[in-house]
Amino acid sequence: MKLDSKRTVLVGLAFLSICAFWQVYDGIVPLILKNTFHVGDTLSGAIMALDNVLALVLLPVFGSLSDRTRTRLGRRMPYILGGTAAACVFMLWIPLADRLYNLPLFFMGLGLVLLSMATYRSPAVALMPDVTPKPLRSKGNAIINLMGAVGGIVMLLAIKLLVPKTDHPNYIPLFALTALLMAACAVVLAVRVREPELVKKMEAESRTLAPEAPEETAPAAPGEKLPRPVFRSLCFILASVFFWFMGYNAVTTSFSKYANLTWGMEGGDYAMVLMIAQAAAILTYIPVGIIASRVGRKKTILAGVVMLAVSFGAAMFLKSFEGIIFFFFALAGVAWAFINVNSYPMVVEMSQGADVGKYTGYYYTFSMTAQILTPVLSGALMEHIGYHTLFPYAAICVAISFVTMLFVRHGDSRPQPAKSKLEAFDLDD
């Protein structure tokens, strides 16, 4: 069975728009808080965690709600289109408030755009497994993450070009471009993606797969309690998700400030380092989907965790900007691709089709909990001990996720045998 790449790319436009927004949000909002409103690092970390507080509450709700939604547009599309439209409007309040030095307007725009984003993130992510048979979900998730990386790298380039090296840059053009990109993705989704038809096609494709032998530890039917061994694996992989996001998000949230104050990078220059990481991830997403289909998701994730811990561990020894920084961030991009492509499919592999939205909510509950805590904890360490604590903190958190991942026993991929010898060499799916 071959993955419908065109279908997956179209579905991935929703994730592209999400990642484009978060790239701008994570890079620019901390700079606005520090340079315009003079907020300390600990409080800034708490403010940056607000999106994850909302997500912790709302992502499972909207994931589960979309499971039960029935419209002519499908289960997920109404949330994707409505949430995107609202986010495009409210996100423009943030740079406007920055220009006006208006803190109440800033927080109003921040709260409303974060609420809008939370309404459609789970439905957007759940759309891929909705239209992709289980054996192909790692490859499908590779394309989805590739689309997200494209959105991120486009906005990093925009940051580099549109953020001048001044004391008070005008961020309105950057946010307007982000809103335009998100709106364009939503329009293409509305025109080209017919969710109900794609779901029916996926169900027909799934029926062609050879039935698997029943297992005592097979995932539960929709709404039923998971068998104990599967539940234990679910707990350990969710713990792993928590710890690697604790490390990774600490770096992404504070990197623009860290690069400015520790490495002396000005304006949008910090974006060049993150662009290297994104470019490395883009080159890795498709091959890593193929690797996971050969060696399994768990082994691929463990390799990625090791690379990410090494990258962050090495970065802590760099006291000024050096060329080697690009190598370590490229390695971090490759590592994140190894992890990200396979972790979400492992979680939803333990679900049945009707529960995909709920399990997507579980995944984001743990990742968002990490992203609530880590900006505050890492921000407090940087403010009260020093900025040199950022990368050791991140490396330790990622190393812990390696240990918890060792105990995961379910949710791995089961490679489908090729129907012919020639098909075994077909890597285009």
Side-chain angles (χ1 to χ4, degrees):
M1 175 179 290
K2 295 179 65 176
L3 179 69
D4 188 331
S5 298
K6 181 179 178 181
R7 176 179 67 192
T8 311
V9 166
L10 288 172
V11 168
L13 287 172
F15 197 57
L16 186 152
S17 73
I18 290 171
C19 291
F21 171 80
W22 291 117
Q23 192 69 71
V24 173
Y25 177 87
D26 285 341
I28 302 303
V29 171
L31 294 177
I32 293 175
L33 289 170
K34 188 171 189 67
N35 298 329
T36 301
F37 299 116
H38 307 293
V39 176
D41 290 320
T42 304
L43 181 55
S44 176
I47 294 170
M48 292 301 293
L50 287 176
D51 66 305
N52 302 305
V53 174
L54 280 174
L56 181 63
V57 176
L58 295 179
L59 292 192
V61 171
F62 282 98
S64 183
L65 186 60
S66 67
D67 285 339
R68 300 192 298 272
T69 298
R70 297 293 183 271
T71 73
R72 64 181 183 84
L73 293 176
R75 295 192 292 176
R76 320 296 184 186
M77 288 297 289
Y79 298 93
I80 295 171
L81 300 179
T84 302
C88 288
V89 173
F90 295 129
M91 68 186 299
L92 297 177
W93 294 16
I94 295 174
L96 180 61
D98 172 64
R99 297 306 297 168
L100 299 174
Y101 294 89
N102 189 325
L103 191 58
L105 179 62
F106 174 80
F107 278 114
M108 285 178 61
L110 197 69
L112 290 170
V113 73
L114 295 180
L115 180 62
S116 302
M117 295 298 296
T119 62
Y120 82 95
R121 190 186 298 189
S122 283
V125 175
L127 185 58
M128 185 279 290
D130 276 353
V131 301
T132 307
K134 279 190 174 185
L136 301 177
R137 285 178 180 170
S138 277
K139 293 183 180 180
N141 204 40
I143 293 178
I144 296 298
N145 281 279
L146 174 61
M147 297 294 289
V150 169
I153 203 167
V154 166
M155 297 321 301
L156 284 170
L157 181 60
I159 290 170
K160 173 63 177 174
L161 296 176
L162 296 179
V163 177
K165 298 177 182 179
T166 63
D167 292 337
H168 191 211
N170 181 4
Y171 297 117
I172 292 177
L174 176 64
F175 278 80
L177 178 63
T178 308
L180 182 62
L181 176 63
M182 293 171 65
C185 290
V187 169
V188 175
L189 278 166
V191 173
R192 297 296 303 277
V193 174
R194 298 288 185 263
E195 182 188 335
E197 296 175 12
L198 294 181
V199 171
K200 289 179 181 178
K201 184 177 179 181
M202 184 278 293
E203 292 170 348
E205 291 171 345
S206 296
R207 285 193 291 270
T208 67
L209 296 174
E212 298 177 357
E215 296 183 23
E216 185 178 346
T217 59
E224 292 184 4
K225 187 176 181 180
L226 285 176
R228 185 178 295 273
V230 182
F231 178 73
R232 186 162 53 245
S233 288
L234 179 64
C235 291
F236 276 115
I237 192 170
L238 291 175
S240 302
V241 168
F242 174 83
F243 282 111
W244 64 55
F245 269 98
M246 285 283 286
Y248 185 79
N249 189 252
V251 174
T252 58
T253 300
S254 299
F255 185 73
S256 58
K257 293 188 296 183
Y258 184 94
N260 178 259
L261 295 176
T262 303
W263 294 340
M265 304 181 79
E266 299 179 342
D269 286 349
Y270 78 90
M272 290 299 298
V273 179
L274 298 183
M275 282 176 63
I276 294 297
Q278 291 279 23
I282 286 174
L283 295 175
T284 307
Y285 279 128
I286 301 302
V288 81
I290 298 170
I291 291 169
S293 70
R294 301 291 191 268
V295 305
R297 294 168 181 153
K298 178 179 175 179
K299 291 180 180 178
T300 308
I301 289 174
L302 288 172
V305 170
V306 169
M307 288 188 287
L308 191 61
V310 168
S311 300
F312 289 162
M316 68 183 179
F317 295 106
L318 303 175
K319 306 304 181 185
S320 61
F321 178 76
E322 303 172 22
I324 194 68
I325 289 171
F326 291 115
F327 170 78
F328 288 123
F329 271 77
L331 183 62
V334 171
W336 194 242
F338 271 61
I339 295 168
N340 225 22
V341 163
N342 295 290
S343 54
Y344 172 66
M346 285 192 77
V347 173
V348 297
E349 190 81 13
M350 301 179 203
S351 75
Q352 292 295 320
D355 285 337
V356 166
K358 182 172 71 174
Y359 279 70
T360 300
Y362 291 158
Y363 176 88
Y364 278 109
T365 296
F366 278 78
S367 65
M368 291 302 145
T369 300
Q371 292 174 79
I372 289 169
L373 297 176
T374 202
V376 180
L377 293 177
S378 61
L381 289 172
M382 288 189 296
E383 183 173 4
H384 298 293
I385 298 178
Y387 271 57
H388 65 277
T389 60
L390 177 62
F391 283 108
Y393 168 91
I396 291 170
C397 289
V398 173
I400 294 172
S401 74
F402 181 89
V403 177
T404 56
M405 193 66 203
L406 292 174
F407 294 95
V408 177
R409 300 284 186 267
H410 299 83
D412 215 332
S413 55
R414 297 183 179 183
Q416 294 293 306
K419 294 180 180 178
S420 69
K421 292 182 179 179
L422 288 177
E423 188 179 328
F425 294 94
D426 183 4
L427 301 181
D428 292 334
D429 55 359

